[in-house]
Amino acid sequence: MLVELRNVSKRYAMGDIWVDALKDITLSLGKGEFLAVKGPSGSGKSTLLNILSALDQCDSGTVQVGGVNIGKLGEHKRSKFRNRHIGIVFQSFNLIPVLTALENVMYPLTLRGVKNAKARALQALKDVGLEKQAGQRPTQLSGGQMQRVAIARAIVTRPDIVLADEPTANLDSKTSETIMALIQKLNREQGITFVISTHDDYVTSLASRVITILDGELVSDRLSGDVLASGYDR
Ligand code: ADP
Ligand code: ADP
């Protein structure tokens, strides 16, 4: 299994009160899956993604990604793990404004000292349908185009897994659909593993598997076929 979470719990202190952001989550994920994480705001979706990317650590339980026990790594090794294994797509795109689309996509490769960075970045831009915009800066691009650049930047390093926390939250519904169709295509055609958190039913309808988290608890885990048929998911 690419990802193995066993009995993972995480709490946050809010003054005198403890908030259980995740309660005893056990979950495995295989290579090539497209997992949607559903649940209302505050249910623990971001916390789960932050633990998978080793941005955050759980209080109890174990987290393995690509055979690495990331719960036990120190700060430096966690950042190294992230660079090697994880691609991240943000809801606010997080592109570097002074760099062109191509330079934004090249950036993580340049940091790693990859030699054919430009050719690989151009290919990634082509994969997201933006090769014509390679020379444009983020301000010259639409929201949907910016998110495409961000997706190209996340996949260009060939990560084991791409994590996206509400990637369509800042996009209109039409643009959201094209972004999700792109993610579905990358998953199907290139076998890229995606984990996406969302409120959006359209997003979950394209995923191959949907888990629902409510108040930190994993309350359902379904393969795509039965998601639409069930009345439970909201
Ligand atoms: P989402 O858009 O996924 O609902 P939020 O807006 O709830 O995310 O949270 C955004 C980020 O802020 C997350 O990384 C989360 O860990 C952090 N966060 C959420 N709630 C709090 C809080 N009460 N105090 C501090 N940080 C928080
Ligand atoms: P979601 O992504 O589903 O909106 P989050 O994972 O952001 O949910 O938050 C789950 C719970 O944990 C919420 O009650 C939130 O306020 C709390 N929380 C998240 N991050 C922090 C933080 N850094 N500090 C304090 N509380 C947090």
mmCIF file of all heavy atoms in Angstrom, residues 12 14 41-42 46-47 50 91 165-166, ligand 1:
data_model
loop_
_atom_site.group_PDB
_atom_site.id
_atom_site.type_symbol
_atom_site.label_atom_id
_atom_site.label_comp_id
_atom_site.label_asym_id
_atom_site.label_seq_id
_atom_site.Cartn_x
_atom_site.Cartn_y
_atom_site.Cartn_z
ATOM 1 N N TYR A 12 -6.046 19.525 18.900
ATOM 2 C CA TYR A 12 -5.463 20.859 18.989
ATOM 3 C C TYR A 12 -5.977 21.522 20.256
ATOM 4 O O TYR A 12 -7.146 21.361 20.611
ATOM 5 C CB TYR A 12 -5.897 21.724 17.804
ATOM 6 C CG TYR A 12 -5.310 21.325 16.479
ATOM 7 C CD1 TYR A 12 -6.113 20.736 15.505
ATOM 8 C CD2 TYR A 12 -3.974 21.555 16.186
ATOM 9 C CE1 TYR A 12 -5.590 20.380 14.267
ATOM 10 C CE2 TYR A 12 -3.442 21.207 14.960
ATOM 11 C CZ TYR A 12 -4.246 20.617 14.012
ATOM 12 O OH TYR A 12 -3.732 20.263 12.803
ATOM 13 N N MET A 14 -7.334 24.670 22.064
ATOM 14 C CA MET A 14 -7.954 25.978 21.790
ATOM 15 C C MET A 14 -8.183 26.611 23.147
ATOM 16 O O MET A 14 -9.240 26.426 23.742
ATOM 17 C CB MET A 14 -9.297 25.806 21.079
ATOM 18 C CG MET A 14 -9.202 25.103 19.744
ATOM 19 S SD MET A 14 -9.137 26.280 18.407
ATOM 20 C CE MET A 14 -10.823 26.787 18.316
ATOM 21 N N SER A 41 -17.049 21.911 6.836
ATOM 22 C CA SER A 41 -15.934 22.712 7.324
ATOM 23 C C SER A 41 -15.662 22.383 8.785
ATOM 24 O O SER A 41 -16.588 22.225 9.573
ATOM 25 C CB SER A 41 -16.289 24.185 7.151
ATOM 26 O OG SER A 41 -15.157 24.964 7.381
ATOM 27 N N GLY A 42 -14.388 22.229 9.134
ATOM 28 C CA GLY A 42 -14.024 21.926 10.511
ATOM 29 C C GLY A 42 -14.056 20.456 10.853
ATOM 30 O O GLY A 42 -13.848 20.072 12.007
ATOM 31 N N SER A 46 -8.411 19.139 6.327
ATOM 32 C CA SER A 46 -7.083 19.754 6.185
ATOM 33 C C SER A 46 -6.075 19.061 7.096
ATOM 34 O O SER A 46 -4.925 18.842 6.701
ATOM 35 C CB SER A 46 -7.116 21.234 6.562
ATOM 36 O OG SER A 46 -8.032 21.923 5.771
ATOM 37 N N THR A 47 -6.526 18.723 8.300
ATOM 38 C CA THR A 47 -5.630 18.044 9.236
ATOM 39 C C THR A 47 -5.142 16.724 8.642
ATOM 40 O O THR A 47 -3.952 16.411 8.695
ATOM 41 C CB THR A 47 -6.354 17.802 10.577
ATOM 42 O OG1 THR A 47 -6.821 19.060 11.067
ATOM 43 C CG2 THR A 47 -5.442 17.166 11.598
ATOM 44 N N ASN A 50 -2.661 17.481 5.912
ATOM 45 C CA ASN A 50 -1.411 17.976 6.493
ATOM 46 C C ASN A 50 -0.593 16.859 7.125
ATOM 47 O O ASN A 50 0.639 16.901 7.138
ATOM 48 C CB ASN A 50 -1.691 19.063 7.537
ATOM 49 C CG ASN A 50 -2.174 20.354 6.895
ATOM 50 O OD1 ASN A 50 -2.039 20.544 5.689
ATOM 51 N ND2 ASN A 50 -2.748 21.235 7.699
ATOM 52 N N GLN A 91 -5.585 25.825 -2.559
ATOM 53 C CA GLN A 91 -6.810 26.455 -3.079
ATOM 54 C C GLN A 91 -6.528 27.848 -3.620
ATOM 55 O O GLN A 91 -7.218 28.308 -4.518
ATOM 56 C CB GLN A 91 -7.954 26.438 -2.075
ATOM 57 C CG GLN A 91 -7.667 26.926 -0.702
ATOM 58 C CD GLN A 91 -8.960 27.002 0.119
ATOM 59 O OE1 GLN A 91 -9.552 28.045 0.237
ATOM 60 N NE2 GLN A 91 -9.386 25.883 0.687
ATOM 61 N N ASP A 165 -5.949 20.442 -1.199
ATOM 62 C CA ASP A 165 -6.929 20.825 -0.186
ATOM 63 C C ASP A 165 -7.901 21.823 -0.817
ATOM 64 O O ASP A 165 -7.533 22.968 -1.045
ATOM 65 C CB ASP A 165 -6.199 21.442 1.016
ATOM 66 C CG ASP A 165 -7.057 21.475 2.270
ATOM 67 O OD1 ASP A 165 -8.264 21.151 2.184
ATOM 68 O OD2 ASP A 165 -6.530 21.846 3.329
ATOM 69 N N GLU A 166 -9.088 21.369 -1.126
ATOM 70 C CA GLU A 166 -10.121 22.204 -1.771
ATOM 71 C C GLU A 166 -9.573 22.993 -2.968
ATOM 72 O O GLU A 166 -9.640 24.220 -2.974
ATOM 73 C CB GLU A 166 -10.743 23.137 -0.738
ATOM 74 C CG GLU A 166 -11.174 22.356 0.489
ATOM 75 C CD GLU A 166 -12.448 22.864 1.098
ATOM 76 O OE1 GLU A 166 -13.186 23.605 0.431
ATOM 77 O OE2 GLU A 166 -12.718 22.481 2.249
HETATM 78 P P1 ADP B 1 -10.569 24.579 5.127
HETATM 79 O O1 ADP B 1 -10.622 25.633 4.073
HETATM 80 O O2 ADP B 1 -9.995 23.272 4.674
HETATM 81 O O3 ADP B 1 -11.827 24.421 5.903
HETATM 82 P P2 ADP B 1 -9.608 26.080 7.279
HETATM 83 O O4 ADP B 1 -9.887 27.409 6.693
HETATM 84 O O5 ADP B 1 -10.476 25.477 8.325
HETATM 85 O O6 ADP B 1 -9.438 25.039 6.103
HETATM 86 O O7 ADP B 1 -8.131 26.058 7.818
HETATM 87 C C1 ADP B 1 -7.031 26.472 7.058
HETATM 88 C C2 ADP B 1 -5.755 26.157 7.843
HETATM 89 O O8 ADP B 1 -5.801 26.752 9.138
HETATM 90 C C3 ADP B 1 -5.570 24.660 8.058
HETATM 91 O O9 ADP B 1 -4.238 24.312 7.734
HETATM 92 C C4 ADP B 1 -5.859 24.420 9.510
HETATM 93 O O10 ADP B 1 -4.983 23.452 10.060
HETATM 94 C C5 ADP B 1 -5.632 25.770 10.161
HETATM 95 N N1 ADP B 1 -6.669 26.023 11.189
HETATM 96 C C6 ADP B 1 -7.955 25.685 11.127
HETATM 97 N N2 ADP B 1 -8.621 26.027 12.248
HETATM 98 C C7 ADP B 1 -7.685 26.611 13.040
HETATM 99 C C8 ADP B 1 -7.727 27.170 14.342
HETATM 100 N N3 ADP B 1 -8.848 27.189 15.062
HETATM 101 N N4 ADP B 1 -6.601 27.690 14.830
HETATM 102 C C9 ADP B 1 -5.481 27.665 14.125
HETATM 103 N N5 ADP B 1 -5.362 27.132 12.898
HETATM 104 C C10 ADP B 1 -6.449 26.612 12.354
#
